[in-house]
Each structure stands twice: as C-alpha cells, then as structure tokens.
Amino acid sequence: MMDTIAQIQSDLAGITFDPSAWPSLRESRERAFQSHKTLGIPTLKDEEWKYTNLREIREDSYKIGQYVALQRDEVSSYLLEDLDPIRLVFVNGHFHLELSSSPSVPGLTFSTLANGVPSELGLLQKIEENTFAALNHATFADGAVVRIAKNTKIERPIMVLNMAVADVDRTVYCAPRTMIIAETGAEATIIESYASVGSRTTFTNAATEIFAGPNTRLEVVKIQGEGLQARHIANVEIKQQADSYLDHFNIAFGGAFTRNDINAFLDGSNISSRIDGVVVVGAEQHCDNHTRLDHAFPNCNSFEVYKHVLSGRSTTVFNGKIYVHQDAQKTDAKQTNQAILLSPEATMNSKPQLEIFADDVKCTHGATVGQLDSMPQFYLQSRGIPKDEAESLLIYAFAAEVLEKISHPGLRDLLEAKLFAKLAADREA
Amino acid sequence: MLHIKNLHARVEEKPILKGVDLTVNPGEVHAIMGPNGSGKSTLANIIAGRSDYEVTAGSIDFQGEDIVEMSPEERAQAGIFLAFQYPVEIPGVSNTYFLRAALNAIRKSRGEEELDSLKFLGLIKEKIKSLEFDAAMLNRSVNEGFSGGEKKRNEILQMAVLEPKLCVMDETDSGLDIDALRVVADGVNALRSSERGFLVITHYQRLLNYIVPDYVHVLMGGQIVKSGGKELALEMEERGYGWLEEAIGAGR
C-alpha cells in the first residue's frame, strides 16, 4: 500500500499520485507510478533525450490542474466551429461539458473515461520504459474515448480539444488521455488539438492510444497550438491491423518546449502507414519529434515526411526510426526529413535510423537541412515578385506540401491559414 | 530600348563576357547564336539580374536607365522578361497563384489596380486558348512534372500574361520536338509588336525558321564577333562555327 507522502510524490515537485482515484485501475496505475519513480526524469546522457534538456521541467514545481469554467469567448478560436466538428473539450484534463458538442451519431461512441473505461486503455502505452507515459497513466484526471463502430464512416471531423489553463503562482500540470478505437472498416478524421490560456507556464503530459482495426481508414491530426511559454510532452501509440490505412499528421507550431513520441506498430499485412509532420518554430522554441515505425508483417508500406522551418534561436530534433522485423518481407518504407533554417542561430538535429532484419525490403531515408534554393527564388523574382514575398511563398510551399495530403478540405484550408500566420509571426519576430 | 555597352562579366572567378555591345530597339527581333560556352546564357541571365553573375565592367541601359544594380524583380517590373532555358519547378505553388502574384506585383509597381481572382481567370482563359495550353496545368504546381514542351509553353504563357517590353529567350528550342517548337514559336510571333523587342538566344538556326529575326549576332569567346541579317543564321548553320573561329583567329 502506498500512503506516505514520499511514496506518492513523483520526481516532479507537486505532482502526486492519488491511489484512491480510479479504483478499477488501481493495479495498473500503481504499477505505472512505480515505473515512473524508477525511471526518473531522463538527462542528456540518455540517448533518447540527447538533444532535449528536461532540466527546466525537472526543476520546476507544479500544481495539479483543476477544472476551470472557461467561457466560449476565451477559447473560440480553438473550437474550429467552421468545420462543424463533433467535439469534446477538456480543461486541465477535466471534461468541460458546455464547450463540448457531442450529438448522437450512429456508430460513434464519443465519451469520457469517467463515463466508462474501455478495456483497451493502457494496452499500447509503454509504461515500463517511458517515464512520461507512466506518469500520464498514474495521473490522468479524465480522458476522451472515441470509438467508431464496424464499417461506419463518420463524415464530420471528430475533435478532442485539450486546453491547459495557467495559474498565477505555479506551473499547472495536466495529463490529457485520449483513446481512439476504430473497429473493422471504420473511417474518420480525428483532430487532437492542444492549446493554452494564460501567460504563465503550463506542462501538458499527454498520452494517446490509437487502435486502427482491420481495413480501417483514419486520418489523425495532432495540433500543438499551445502558447509560447507552454511545455508539452506527448506519447502517441498507434497499432494498425491488416489492410488499414492511417495518416498521422503532427502539426507543431506552439509551445516553448515540445516533445512528441509517435510510434506506429504495423500489426498485420497490407497496411499503409503515413507519418507526417510540419514543424514551424521561432524565437526560443524547442521541438523534438521521435517517431518509430515497426514493420512486423509482410507487404506493408510506410511513408514518412517531416518538414521543419526554423527561425530565431529555435531548435528542433527529428529522430525517425524504421524497424523492419524479420518476417516483414516486401516492406516498402520511405522516410524524408527536411528542414529550412532561416536564421544562423537556429539548430536542427536529425537522426534517421533504419534497422532491418528482413532481406527483401525497400527502405530509404533522406534528410536535408539548409537554406532555400536560389533558383526558385530567382525564378519568382524574375517574374516581378519581390524578394521577401518570393521567400515567404517558397517557405510556405515547402511546409504546405505536407498539409496538402489532408483529405478533409475544410481542415486543410484551416491548417494552411494557421501555417501562413505562424510563418508570418516568426518572420516579424 | 536596350543598350549594352562594353559588357564584361564573370561567374565566380571566371570571365565569361569580354566586351559585349548590343542595341535592341522596339519592334526588333535579334537572334544571338554561338557555340556552347560562348556566353549566350550568361548574357541572358545577366540581363534578367541573376546574382550568380558579376558585371565587372560596362553598362546595360534599359529605357534610359542603367539596370546593372537593379534587383531581378525591379527589372521584371520595368518590363524585362527572361524565358528560361530550364524553367524551375516549384512544388506547392500553383501555376495560377504564381501567375497572378507575378502579374499583380508588376501592376502594383506601376500603380495599377491589382486583379482579383475572377478578373484574373477571365484574362488567363483568353491567353491559354491561343497557346493550346491545357487548362489543367494551371492548377498544378509550377512546372512540376511538366514535359519539356509544357515547361516552355508555360514560359510563353507567362510572357503573354505579363506583357513585357523586352523578351529574352534563352535556348527556348532546347528539348523541343518540331510540333512543340511550332506551338511555342506561334505563341512568340503572336506577341511580336512594334513596341516590343526580342532577344532570341539559340544554338541552332532551326528556331529562326519559325521566329524570323531582323538581326543575327554571333557570340564567341564572350564577344559578338559578327552581325548581320537573318541570312547570317543560315550561313552559320551551313558552315558551322569553326570557320568563323579560324577567320577571327587569323585576323588577330
């Protein structure tokens, strides 16, 4: 039994474990918390955290996020009303009913963990090896459950909005948890959006589990749109079954500090996996994306494209691993990682990793880091377009190429507008 | 309209142009021929303002102004257009967007009203008809995945939309089969007018059967070594560049 303060205190000051919450999950939550304590907070010596310093997160002290009755006008720009989404809103990890809009849609269960914990919870998160996934499991207050029934196509976008609301004295901590379960033949576009309110730091420690059943077709768009003082760590675990198609988009514009781990396990044959990212950072922003694709069965393909635009003194990390297991013959995996550095003080750390244990596969990776090519620039200028405008256009086009793949037209337009605004803001800064 | 005087230029440390003199008046079509490495493309790119080339001496005067210090966009706004030998692919920028941005940048620089997308579409529809330009290409990214012929036709379309005063055409015939060449040449001929000058750069005489020049100049070793009427092109085609090289060598 855990009852003394020392036992329930995490390595992060102020974040404690409440053994009495979620009685039905008692065993796994205690195990997760123990694992988090054992693993501790990684340092730069840890290979997985070589370029991302957790010192500020480690040395800060926290206040566990409480429900805040945010008003519609405080968050209206994050609600994406133009897209008419089916929406759940969480504030500091707690469900916010008034801002949510979850009409009854045939074939869709869209609810909270408080309303019922799905049996799939925790099956994908690696609480034994990932200290933040473990901490999320031990500390989530509530979470979203998206379940799409067999052979159901949901036309409207499904959206989970997680708001972090800062407090005046200490950094607010919250642990959003999202479960996405698509049953055989299901189809949907799901938006996982993160935003923040207030000028002080917040720390969002998110965990998402995505179960893409056989023959499903999913588009999952994660938007990191938190404020420039926010800290954000997210562990996204995806399991794809046979004949499924999934495109994960990681749109990372916000946050002072962002670390995403996006892992997809291809657990069947004839799977198509797309892992895409657009990272636009400026000033002192830091964004680290670790991705891992596990090809475990034959005849699957994966295409990964990550694009980065860096200004100011920003830093980014791209660590992309493709692991081809021995049985995964006829794997076709392609990884592309590109960065444009608009400032001499910006830094991109790029680390592609291919580990291949099958002999009949096609695996490629390519990484480029640099400035804009001079020829397209000259071409545009030679047609009368001013240098600055030509540059903006080319940078936009570079990053927007990833967004063009989003099939939901309204969402694509919206993200293109956000991209345009973020590039302009970084330029002005 | 265009007066080039004693133009010397280099790329990196290598001198390419060694004293070029050339005048193009409105309504005239000048052809520049020459062997590979003679400086033809350098001349074209320098007129358009590409920064990889450095003018070390001489002047380029366009409509009474020295343009050597001008940026490429200022030259375009003044009415200079370069049809590229290798048109650049720009993924992610649609051809329509590009054309409208270019036209509006030029209009804006002249204090003219910018065209909204509706007006622009009306304009472009009219232009693509005469060029046998596939309308689907308007929505594709600029030159991306275009065939050689499509790329060159796209250059002519841009020329038709932007209506420059001086058109510099850098080996527009390269990579074109005879049908594509005819279409491109027809597009150029349709743009010939008494107010517009052309500088047509080519390695082969073939193009000049379709775009008939008023004057032909031979550029060799960074200098114009011979000038004449359109018949000079035929002579060059027949005799090659070798005899001229020898003749110049003997004269020196």
Side-chain angles (χ1 to χ4, degrees):
Chain A
M1 289 297 287
M2 290 199 256
D3 40 19
T4 72
I5 291 293
Q7 279 172 318
I8 62 164
Q9 171 60 51
S10 93
D11 284 1
L12 301 173
I15 300 178
T16 51
F17 176 63
D18 177 2
S20 64
W22 305 99
S24 67
L25 300 172
R26 180 164 190 131
E27 188 275 328
S28 71
R29 292 179 72 248
E30 279 186 2
R31 195 154 41 83
F33 192 67
Q34 280 312 318
S35 169
H36 162 69
K37 298 250 304 187
T38 309
L39 293 165
I41 305 298
T43 65
L44 295 177
K45 285 182 204 140
D46 187 321
E47 191 59 30
E48 294 296 307
W49 293 88
K50 197 173 168 185
Y51 301 108
T52 293
N53 196 334
L54 288 165
R55 190 172 54 87
E56 285 186 343
I57 283 182
R58 191 172 46 237
E59 291 176 359
D60 206 351
S61 68
Y62 299 89
K63 183 176 190 169
I64 298 214
Q66 300 300 319
Y67 177 78
V68 180
L70 284 180
Q71 297 302 302
R72 188 166 285 266
D73 60 353
E74 294 175 273
V75 295
S76 54
S77 64
Y78 305 115
L79 298 176
L80 311 189
E81 297 282 22
D82 290 349
L83 303 181
D84 189 25
I86 309 164
R87 178 178 63 227
L88 290 187
V89 179
F90 293 83
V91 176
N92 288 340
H94 299 268
F95 182 53
H96 192 305
L97 180 68
E98 289 74 23
L99 294 176
S100 299
S101 112
S102 179
S104 154
V105 175
L108 175 68
T109 308
F110 194 33
S111 182
T112 60
L113 289 174
N115 262 332
V117 176
S119 58
E120 291 89 347
L121 183 88
L123 292 182
L124 301 184
Q125 287 295 341
K126 300 183 177 96
I127 59 174
E128 264 73 35
E129 45 193 88
N130 186 315
T131 192
F132 292 105
L135 184 62
N136 175 284
H137 195 79
T139 57
F140 64 76
D142 200 348
V145 180
V146 183
R147 186 186 291 276
I148 305 149
K150 196 172 165 182
N151 296 330
T152 305
K153 181 176 180 181
I154 308 292
E155 299 285 351
R156 290 165 68 187
I158 300 165
M159 176 183 184
V160 179
L161 171 62
N162 283 291
M163 298 295 311
V165 181
D167 209 330
V168 283
D169 52 350
R170 273 181 295 157
T171 300
V172 167
Y173 166 83
C174 60
R177 185 64 175 256
T178 305
M179 303 294 300
I180 297 166
I181 302 146
E183 295 178 359
T184 307
E187 244 178 88
T189 293
I190 297 151
I191 305 164
E192 221 193 304
S193 177
Y194 295 87
S196 66
V197 175
S199 55
R200 213 182 182 290
T201 312
T202 50
F203 175 28
T204 297
N205 176 28
T208 299
E209 293 173 271
I210 301 170
F211 296 81
N215 203 28
T216 49
R217 207 177 163 84
L218 289 184
E219 185 166 72
V220 179
V221 180
K222 175 179 187 283
I223 306 171
Q224 158 55 322
E226 292 180 335
L228 292 179
Q229 67 295 322
R231 299 178 191 142
H232 179 101
I233 291 178
N235 282 286
V236 179
E237 295 286 350
I238 300 164
K239 187 172 96 167
Q240 273 186 260
Q241 288 180 276
D243 309 305
S244 62
Y245 174 92
L246 182 140
D247 200 338
H248 186 274
F249 292 91
N250 173 9
I251 315 293
F253 297 164
F257 172 102
T258 301
R259 163 68 179 247
N260 287 299
D261 281 79
I262 295 157
N263 303 323
F265 195 92
L266 279 52
D267 198 15
S269 290
N270 302 314
I271 291 170
S272 280
S273 207
R274 304 280 181 277
I275 300 291
D276 291 308
V278 187
V279 180
V280 181
V281 285
E284 311 282 334
Q285 284 183 278
H286 175 81
C287 185
D288 175 346
N289 294 298
H290 271 58
T291 67
R292 177 181 166 127
L293 277 149
D294 270 273
H295 281 265
F297 288 85
N299 298 310
C300 294
N301 63 61
S302 65
F303 295 97
E304 175 168 21
V305 178
Y306 260 75
K307 299 222 180 191
H308 307 75
V309 180
L310 292 84
S311 322
R313 280 202 289 272
S314 62
T315 50
T316 57
V317 181
F318 174 79
N319 188 121
K321 185 182 267 191
I322 299 173
Y323 196 102
V324 181
H325 297 243
Q326 202 174 350
D327 292 338
Q329 300 296 1
K330 308 280 182 198
T331 289
D332 185 359
K334 188 176 180 197
Q335 179 191 89
T336 307
N337 156 42
Q338 297 175 320
I340 292 181
L341 271 56
L342 298 175
S343 147
E345 291 164 301
T347 310
M348 164 88 206
N349 298 291
S350 178
K351 190 176 168 194
Q353 287 174 284
L354 304 185
E355 291 189 35
I356 302 169
F357 297 95
D359 48 23
D360 184 13
V361 300
K362 205 164 92 187
C363 281
T364 61
H365 71 83
T368 57
V369 176
Q371 277 79 43
L372 283 174
D373 288 344
S374 65
M375 274 316 282
Q377 177 100 22
F378 174 57
Y379 192 66
L380 293 176
Q381 284 180 259
S382 79
R383 297 306 181 242
I385 299 173
K387 186 170 190 283
D388 279 3
E389 202 181 311
E391 220 176 84
S392 302
L393 182 58
L394 291 170
I395 296 162
Y396 173 79
F398 166 80
E401 219 187 338
V402 174
L403 301 180
E404 277 169 23
K405 292 189 250 175
I406 293 177
S407 69
H408 190 284
L411 179 58
R412 186 176 58 232
D413 289 351
L414 184 128
L415 290 170
E416 283 176 353
K418 276 186 190 290
L419 168 66
F420 197 82
K422 172 62 170 157
L423 287 170
D426 283 352
R427 241 185 133 77
E428 311 251 304
Chain B
M1 174 163 59
L2 179 73
H3 301 280
I4 297 174
K5 286 191 194 113
N6 189 33
L7 186 67
H8 287 69
R10 62 182 180 192
V11 58
E12 285 160 1
E13 290 303 305
K14 196 177 167 218
I16 308 274
L17 298 184
K18 300 163 185 170
V20 172
D21 292 283
L22 179 70
T23 294
V24 178
N25 294 309
E28 294 176 354
V29 176
H30 290 247
I32 295 200
M33 301 184 72
N36 289 331
S38 59
K40 302 188 299 287
S41 280
T42 300
L43 179 62
N45 278 282
I46 279 179
I47 295 170
R50 187 163 157 199
S51 59
D52 302 346
Y53 300 91
E54 190 193 346
V55 173
T56 50
S59 65
I60 308 172
D61 201 284
F62 181 68
Q63 296 190 310
E65 260 190 285
D66 189 350
I67 61 167
V68 168
E69 294 298 322
M70 280 189 189
S71 66
E73 61 266 35
E74 286 169 330
R75 298 180 198 209
Q77 289 160 5
I80 293 175
F81 182 95
L82 169 65
F84 281 55
Q85 182 179 4
Y86 304 108
V88 182
E89 298 193 3
I90 308 181
V93 178
S94 87
N95 223 1
T96 308
Y97 184 91
F98 163 60
L99 277 166
R100 198 176 123 210
L103 180 62
N104 279 337
I106 287 174
R107 291 178 69 96
K108 202 172 151 188
S109 75
R110 295 177 185 160
E112 293 166 9
E113 201 192 335
E114 295 184 36
L115 293 187
D116 61 27
S117 51
L118 210 65
K119 277 188 185 144
F120 178 75
L121 279 177
L123 173 86
I124 198 105
K125 256 189 183 162
E126 192 185 303
K127 302 280 183 189
I128 60 174
K129 232 192 259 167
S130 57
L131 277 171
E132 299 180 27
F133 195 89
D134 182 1
M137 278 160 61
L138 289 172
N139 295 325
R140 285 163 58 187
S141 291
V142 178
N143 294 324
E144 194 187 28
F146 285 22
S147 70
E150 287 171 334
K151 282 182 182 169
K152 295 298 166 78
R153 235 178 279 177
N154 201 18
E155 295 292 285
I156 307 304
L157 174 65
Q158 291 165 38
M159 200 190 272
V161 169
L162 302 180
E163 299 183 326
K165 297 187 181 81
L166 174 69
C167 302
V168 181
M169 310 190 58
D170 188 7
E171 308 221 10
T172 294
D173 49 336
S174 71
L176 293 189
D177 61 28
I178 198 76
D179 293 331
L181 184 65
R182 199 170 283 139
V183 173
V184 167
D186 287 350
V188 171
N189 287 329
L191 291 171
R192 286 178 77 156
S193 83
S194 58
E195 284 99 52
R196 188 169 286 141
F198 282 85
L199 192 58
V200 180
I201 286 168
T202 182
H203 186 86
Y204 302 104
Q205 180 269 340
R206 189 179 68 157
L207 176 68
L208 305 179
N209 290 334
Y210 299 95
I211 304 173
V212 181
D214 302 304
Y215 302 94
V216 174
H217 312 275
V218 179
L219 186 68
M220 269 180 161
Q223 287 179 319
I224 289 176
V225 294
K226 196 171 172 60
S227 295
K230 64 185 173 201
E231 66 288 343
L232 176 59
L234 289 166
E235 189 181 356
M236 295 311 300
E237 181 74 2
E238 201 175 305
R239 302 179 67 181
Y241 292 108
W243 71 274
L244 200 54
E245 234 157 45
E246 278 164 30
I248 297 158
R252 270 180 187 156

